[in-house]
Amino acid sequence: MNYTMMTMSVFPRLKWLMVLWLPTAMSQTSPRNSSTDLVPIFEPQFANLKYDPATFNPYLGGQNWTMCCVLAVNDSFLIENETMYIRPGQTFFTGTIESLEAHPRFPCGATYNGSFLNAPRQQFWIDYSWCQNRCPGWPVTKASNFDKWLKPMISFILPSLVFCLNIPRRRCLDLPTRLFSNKSLDIFNLFLFALRVPFASFVVTLDIIIWTCVSFSVAGPMLTSGIYEAILDARVLAFLDSRSKENLPTVQQKAHTLLSILIGNLDGDAWHSSELFVQGLPTHVVGKRLDRSGSADTLTPTEEQAAISTPHRPLKTSLSTTSSDSAFTSTTRHAKVFRTDYQRRRILTVKSRLKSMLDSQVSFGSSVGAAIMFYIGSFIWSVYEVEEDLGSYITAHQLACGMFWMTIPHLALVSCLLLAGNNPNIWQGAISDSLFQYDNSLGEQTRELALADRDSEPRHIRGITGITRKPTFHSIQTTKSSNPSGSGAFDQFFGLAFKESRFKPAWMWNRGPNKATWIHNLGERYSYLQHMREEVLEKRFSRDLWASGMYGFVLYLVPTLFGTIVSYTTPQTGFGCRSIIMLTYVVSQLCLQILWILRCYFLHNGKYRALTDLGHTAAKPTWINYAWYFLFLSSSFMGAFTSIGGTIFVLANVLTNCFCALPAKYWWDRYSNPNARIFVDDATYEQVYYAQKWWFPAGIAGVIFMIIVAYIGWWYQRSLRQRFHDLVEMIDYIDELDTDGNSFVGAPSLDDV
């Protein structure tokens, strides 16, 4: 009885304990779906919610991406009775109430708070189909939001844009001279002046923008051509240096070769004038002449003087030879050659002009080296400054775009390390006295004055210079192609960059082939320099061409690669619109390089003149030529679209849309693939982590690479300038005796017979 009474009294107590304990136990094992602490943070954001987030046509930039995020958050939660609940059946929010309370902030438009450890994980994900239905289009960058477009433009793009001014070109947008009238400023002219200055500034700005677009679009061929010219310059100087203490080549051949290094970027008209420049220089091959017995044959002073004063009559020797080189032994070092005062004066004049032409060009440090140092300092500070905005995907892609634009400074570095000057007026000034004698366009009175000045020289001097005889080249004529004004619409808007000069520099993408043409012409002009043509050009043509392409490829690949890494590692990680645009640019430039190299490779044999202009080929138009032009133009358009167009897309925020927010691996099945989802919250742990890991290191790596390239360019030009000066001083260098102590005599080169 007592046991039954005890049992009946215990069970009610256990029942009440179960009723009181079970809710508490369930609350400890299942996650909460409500919170009152988050209501003050989330409720104000839902107050002015719009079902349609676009402010105007979303496909023209009227979408509001932040409002799209708010819509997704609103579809994830429900606020009732001062309590926020997780909406039943929602699929956007993947976290918990506890995770939101651990980081009490509204996810849309959140900013970096100084530590990525305090940043929440990515918790809000939307399906692509929902995004496309509710938030189509893209949000344009507002003009008042300077941090999104003006700051990256000033920090990264404009400094690169300035370097385009150092890239040589043949034509530019013509600026009307009437805009700069020298009339006195009265009230009326002051009003016109106020109108002319903005218009002139607009024309100059438009010209820079156009040239920037062209340079960025075909940077691959430009880099390849410039590097190829640099390689040719180094090889020609090495050839002359290896023979600097020999009696071959002659003084005239050495001077003409060195001159070709300085003006090898000019068109064919400059070749004819270059022959005027070296006229009057000694053309004698210095060597030992042997008689039939093998003993050295000597000349009396009278015979030696007669041989020199008649440079186009072969010396009377006791050996029958077909070449001037075979008349002398291989052990020859020098001959004691008689030279007149005029010849010595001509040698000194040519030496002075060659050195002055080189020294009149702006040095590498002044033209681009100092600017690179300021650019690097500004770039490092800009990269450091953007760390304050870690976690912003817009800032990440703007930084990637800035590193992408490092291609332009690399192109300027290559163009400024070359020895050939960009201003043809320097050459025109050096040869002006000879032009007066042979240029039919200067007027009869000017030519008569020049000829009268020449006739005032003693007869024996005029005989030595060779000017009295008919030149071995065609007299310079003024042709239609050298008319700077032009008659076409293109010529009227885009005039020659150097209107006052009769000589025209080659485009940057033609400079390498143009220099190869000059080396080829030297081999045709002088028989001995055929060895130089074979050694410098023929034997190494393919290897140097492909090596130039490889070096050029590295110069635009590295900055593009660092920009791609930043875009690739910005969540969602993976290849997207921005990284694919930069990789497409690399592919377009690689295609342009291959097309440029193949064209030079297949047309160089006996057709060097065809290499000097990308717009002309030696053969008649065939389907291969049409295919080449189509591929070249297509690749150029792709380069322009990805470089200039891609930059505009980034600054205008065009690529902030549902499609580009997805990694490329989900593009094909984005409507059906459940993994094709887009996160919408900002400044998350993943975003801040990848930003700290890749932003600053990638920027510093790009800067280090540019420093290395700048140092190599500076060292290369300083080295070649010094070698050039040394070779100019040794133009007339000759040893006095051979190894046996014998004296030698001079004989005319067969090139001038």
Side-chain angles (χ1 to χ4, degrees):
M1 184 66 180
N2 293 334
Y3 176 77
T4 304
M5 294 285 294
M6 185 179 295
T7 303
M8 292 179 63
S9 63
V10 170
F11 274 111
R13 293 177 181 178
L14 291 176
K15 179 179 178 181
W16 281 108
L17 287 174
M18 291 289 293
V19 171
L20 296 175
W21 173 80
L22 186 60
T24 304
M26 292 182 63
S27 65
Q28 297 296 326
T29 57
S30 63
R32 291 188 296 114
N33 66 344
S34 64
S35 173
T36 57
D37 297 336
L38 297 175
V39 173
I41 300 175
F42 282 75
E43 189 174 26
Q45 303 295 331
F46 299 153
N48 299 319
L49 194 63
K50 297 180 180 179
Y51 180 81
D52 185 6
T55 56
F56 57 93
N57 191 335
Y59 297 101
L60 298 179
Q63 190 55 265
N64 188 335
W65 196 253
T66 303
M67 186 59 66
C68 294
C69 174
V70 176
L71 284 175
V73 175
N74 180 71
D75 290 350
S76 303
F77 300 105
L78 177 65
I79 298 179
E80 289 182 350
N81 299 325
E82 300 298 326
T83 303
M84 188 176 76
Y85 301 91
I86 298 178
R87 194 181 294 272
Q90 64 84 29
T91 58
F92 300 150
F93 179 62
T94 59
T96 62
I97 291 293
E98 287 81 1
S99 64
L100 290 178
E101 290 179 340
H103 305 280
R105 64 171 195 174
F106 193 73
C108 303
T111 57
Y112 176 58
N113 60 2
S115 173
F116 75 95
L117 296 177
N118 296 328
R121 297 282 181 171
Q122 295 171 350
Q123 303 178 99
F124 294 90
W125 297 78
I126 59 176
D127 299 328
Y128 178 81
S129 56
W130 184 93
C131 180
Q132 190 63 26
N133 292 330
R134 300 290 300 274
C135 298
W138 53 279
V140 66
T141 302
K142 296 181 179 180
S144 59
N145 195 350
F146 296 129
D147 288 341
K148 301 303 181 184
W149 68 275
L150 185 59
K151 183 178 179 179
M153 182 178 293
I154 294 177
S155 301
F156 306 116
I157 297 176
L158 286 183
S160 300
L161 196 67
V162 174
F163 286 98
C164 283
L165 301 177
N166 291 321
I167 302 173
R169 51 177 168 167
R170 188 186 185 98
R171 292 183 176 273
C172 62
L173 194 61
D174 201 2
L175 187 64
T177 56
R178 67 175 65 95
L179 293 176
F180 301 94
S181 173
N182 59 354
K183 297 179 180 179
S184 59
L185 289 178
D186 53 22
I187 297 178
F188 179 73
N189 288 331
L190 188 61
F191 174 75
L192 293 179
F193 179 79
L195 297 178
R196 290 173 178 176
V197 171
F199 180 74
S201 302
F202 171 76
V203 173
V204 173
T205 304
L206 181 62
D207 176 61
I208 296 175
I209 293 175
I210 293 175
W211 182 234
T212 301
C213 296
V214 174
S215 301
F216 214 165
S217 303
V218 292
M222 282 185 170
L223 289 168
T224 306
S225 180
I227 294 174
Y228 182 56
E229 180 183 356
I231 292 176
L232 291 179
D233 287 344
R235 296 206 186 282
V236 170
L237 291 178
F239 176 86
L240 293 178
D241 195 20
S242 64
R243 291 158 177 79
S244 60
K245 295 185 178 181
E246 299 179 1
N247 296 325
L248 286 173
T250 65
V251 176
Q252 187 182 81
Q253 293 169 1
K254 291 178 182 178
H256 207 168
T257 303
L258 291 172
L259 178 65
S260 299
I261 292 178
L262 297 181
I263 64 172
N265 63 320
L266 303 181
D267 281 356
D269 286 346
W271 168 258
H272 300 304
S273 63
S274 69
E275 292 186 315
L276 291 174
F277 182 82
V278 297
Q279 272 194 344
L281 293 176
T283 60
H284 305 87
V285 176
V286 181
K288 179 169 65 177
R289 188 183 58 181
L290 302 177
D291 58 15
R292 289 193 178 101
S293 62
S295 59
D297 190 12
T298 60
L299 292 179
T300 65
T302 304
E303 292 174 323
E304 185 174 348
Q305 172 66 24
I308 297 172
S309 61
T310 314
H312 302 290
R313 187 179 65 192
L315 283 176
K316 182 179 178 181
T317 63
S318 51
L319 290 178
S320 298
T321 60
T322 58
S323 173
S324 61
D325 300 351
S326 60
F328 310 98
T329 63
S330 60
T331 59
T332 299
R333 286 189 179 181
H334 175 59
K336 229 174 197 180
V337 179
F338 174 79
R339 286 175 181 163
T340 65
D341 291 339
Y342 180 81
Q343 285 181 318
R344 288 194 292 269
R345 189 165 66 249
R346 280 292 298 160
I347 292 175
L348 292 176
T349 300
V350 168
K351 282 184 177 182
S352 176
R353 288 183 178 180
L354 286 175
K355 290 187 290 186
S356 298
M357 288 174 61
L358 179 62
D359 294 338
S360 63
Q361 301 172 21
V362 182
S363 64
F364 181 85
S366 300
S367 61
V368 72
I372 285 292
M373 293 297 104
F374 284 106
Y375 173 83
I376 289 173
S378 173
F379 192 91
I380 293 177
W381 174 254
S382 299
V383 173
Y384 176 78
E385 193 177 33
V386 298
E387 284 194 329
E388 298 178 359
D389 199 17
L390 291 178
S392 171
Y393 70 94
I394 295 179
T395 303
H397 296 306
Q398 289 173 348
L399 175 62
C401 183
M403 287 186 281
F404 179 39
W405 271 76
M406 281 185 172
T407 303
I408 298 296
H410 288 158
L411 181 56
L413 285 171
V414 172
S415 63
C416 290
L417 63 84
L418 304 174
L419 295 184
N422 301 327
N423 190 349
N425 289 298
I426 297 175
W427 168 238
Q428 181 160 320
I431 198 64
S432 58
D433 53 347
S434 298
L435 289 177
F436 286 151
Q437 299 177 18
Y438 290 99
D439 194 342
N440 295 331
S441 65
L442 296 178
E444 191 64 28
Q445 183 178 2
T446 304
R447 295 190 68 234
E448 287 179 358
L449 291 175
L451 292 174
D453 181 68
R454 184 204 66 186
D455 292 338
S456 64
E457 298 175 345
R459 179 178 296 274
H460 69 279
I461 293 180
R462 285 186 279 120
I464 292 175
T465 62
I467 295 179
T468 56
R469 66 185 178 90
K470 185 179 180 180
T472 57
F473 52 90
H474 299 291
S475 297
I476 299 177
Q477 303 289 336
T478 302
T479 60
K480 183 178 180 180
S481 60
S482 38
N483 184 8
S485 60
S487 58
F490 180 82
D491 295 330
Q492 292 179 358
F493 287 99
F494 294 92
L496 294 175
F498 302 95
K499 298 180 182 179
E500 303 302 326
S501 177
R502 64 172 303 113
F503 306 109
K504 299 182 287 295
W507 291 102
M508 185 62 190
W509 51 76
N510 281 329
R511 289 190 55 153
N514 207 77
K515 183 62 68 71
T517 302
W518 277 75
I519 297 174
H520 171 77
N521 291 341
L522 288 172
E524 293 291 324
R525 177 67 177 84
Y526 306 104
S527 58
Y528 180 79
L529 294 184
Q530 291 178 3
H531 303 294
M532 182 187 71
R533 183 181 67 183
E534 294 175 359
E535 182 177 331
V536 173
L537 203 60
E538 298 288 350
K539 295 181 180 180
R540 304 172 183 267
F541 185 80
S542 301
R543 183 171 58 183
D544 288 347
L545 211 57
W546 289 105
S548 303
M550 182 190 68
Y551 296 144
F553 176 74
V554 172
L555 288 181
Y556 67 78
L557 173 66
V558 171
T560 306
L561 181 62
F562 287 132
T564 303
I565 289 175
V566 172
S567 288
Y568 179 89
T569 55
T570 299
Q572 269 174 269
T573 58
F575 288 107
C577 292
R578 299 167 181 85
S579 55
I580 289 178
I581 283 177
M582 286 185 275
L583 290 180
T584 304
Y585 175 80
V586 173
V587 173
S588 69
Q589 297 309 303
L590 181 60
C591 292
L592 289 174
Q593 279 188 295
I594 294 174
L595 291 170
W596 186 91
I597 292 174
L598 290 177
R599 177 184 174 278
C600 295
Y601 181 80
F602 287 112
L603 294 179
H604 85 281
N605 287 326
K607 299 175 182 177
Y608 284 95
R609 297 186 185 277
L611 300 179
T612 59
D613 192 351
L614 285 177
H616 297 84
T617 56
K620 295 181 179 180
T622 62
W623 68 270
I624 297 179
N625 293 335
Y626 289 127
W628 186 91
Y629 285 124
F630 174 77
L631 292 175
F632 193 89
L633 292 176
S634 300
S635 300
S636 300
F637 173 79
M638 188 60 64
F641 178 79
T642 53
S643 59
I644 306 302
T647 301
I648 295 175
F649 291 161
V650 170
L651 294 180
N653 212 20
V654 176
L655 302 180
T656 302
N657 55 67
C658 299
F659 182 80
C660 291
L662 275 179
K665 61 183 179 181
Y666 299 126
W667 285 354
W668 308 112
D669 55 350
R670 56 188 181 275
Y671 286 101
S672 58
N673 192 333
N675 294 323
R677 310 189 74 193
I678 304 167
F679 76 91
V680 293
D681 38 351
D682 297 319
T684 62
Y685 173 87
E686 291 81 0
Q687 289 175 301
V688 177
Y689 169 78
Y690 282 109
Q692 287 188 335
K693 183 177 181 180
W694 294 107
W695 282 15
F696 197 74
I700 295 300
V703 166
I704 292 175
F705 179 75
M706 182 176 290
I707 292 175
I708 294 174
V709 174
Y711 177 78
I712 293 175
W714 175 66
W715 169 85
Y716 167 86
Q717 196 194 63
R718 292 279 297 182
S719 174
L720 261 63
R721 275 177 174 256
Q722 186 60 47
R723 291 174 66 184
F724 187 92
H725 275 275
D726 294 341
L727 289 171
V728 169
E729 288 295 335
M730 300 184 68
I731 282 180
D732 58 337
Y733 175 86
I734 45 178
D735 291 336
E736 293 187 357
L737 300 174
D738 70 348
T739 55
D740 299 326
N742 297 321
S743 298
F744 298 96
V745 296
S749 170
L750 290 181
D751 301 310
D752 300 302
V753 175

